[in-house]
Amino acid sequence: QVQLVESGGGLVQAGGSLTLSCSASGVIGSGSVNPMGWYRQAQGKERELVATIILGGHTNYADSVKGRFAISRDYRKNTVYLRMNSLKPDDTAVYYCKGTYYGREFWGQGTQVTVSS
């Protein structure tokens, strides 16, 4: 059974930084979870894409985070990271990791990011 486990969320002041990590377990093969990405859901809002990365390194970002967030991955470890800089209160949300493994999508349990003003 594939599991995605996020870590790194927390409380940070506006302007601060956090790095989220998401590791996939129960998979076989380096880079076999592809693509991987981050989504977020703020209270009372729909879940939205934050950033994705595919095999080969191509990335995609939501306009609201371009220039502030950076997604990267360790293919050998099937782990994806999200470096978040210049955080704003509007970035407050539960952040979810998503990965696709042989055509099936899997989600992590989510990690809370709270940005205080």
Side-chain angles (χ1 to χ4, degrees), residues 25-75:
S25 61
V27 300
I28 298 174
S30 299
S32 58
V33 183
N34 184 59
M36 296 189 79
W38 291 95
Y39 294 71
R40 67 186 182 187
Q41 187 167 17
Q43 194 168 7
K45 296 186 178 181
E46 293 187 354
R47 192 173 297 188
E48 62 177 3
L49 179 145
V50 176
T52 59
I53 185 167
I54 64 172
L55 202 64
H58 180 74
T59 58
N60 182 48
Y61 294 94
D63 288 344
S64 59
V65 306
K66 282 180 181 177
R68 300 188 298 121
F69 291 10
I71 189 170
S72 60
R73 65 176 293 172
D74 183 327
Y75 290 98

Side-chain angles (χ1 to χ4, degrees), residues 48-103:
E48 62 177 3
L49 179 145
V50 176
T52 59
I53 185 167
I54 64 172
L55 202 64
H58 180 74
T59 58
N60 182 48
Y61 294 94
D63 288 344
S64 59
V65 306
K66 282 180 181 177
R68 300 188 298 121
F69 291 10
I71 189 170
S72 60
R73 65 176 293 172
D74 183 327
Y75 290 98
R76 183 174 57 87
K77 296 180 180 178
N78 279 307
T79 297
V80 65
Y81 306 94
L82 185 68
R83 175 66 177 177
M84 305 184 293
N85 297 321
S86 302
L87 282 161
K88 305 174 182 179
D90 283 349
D91 295 318
T92 295
V94 178
Y95 283 71
Y96 296 91
C97 172
K98 188 178 90 169
T100 301
Y101 182 63
Y102 290 100

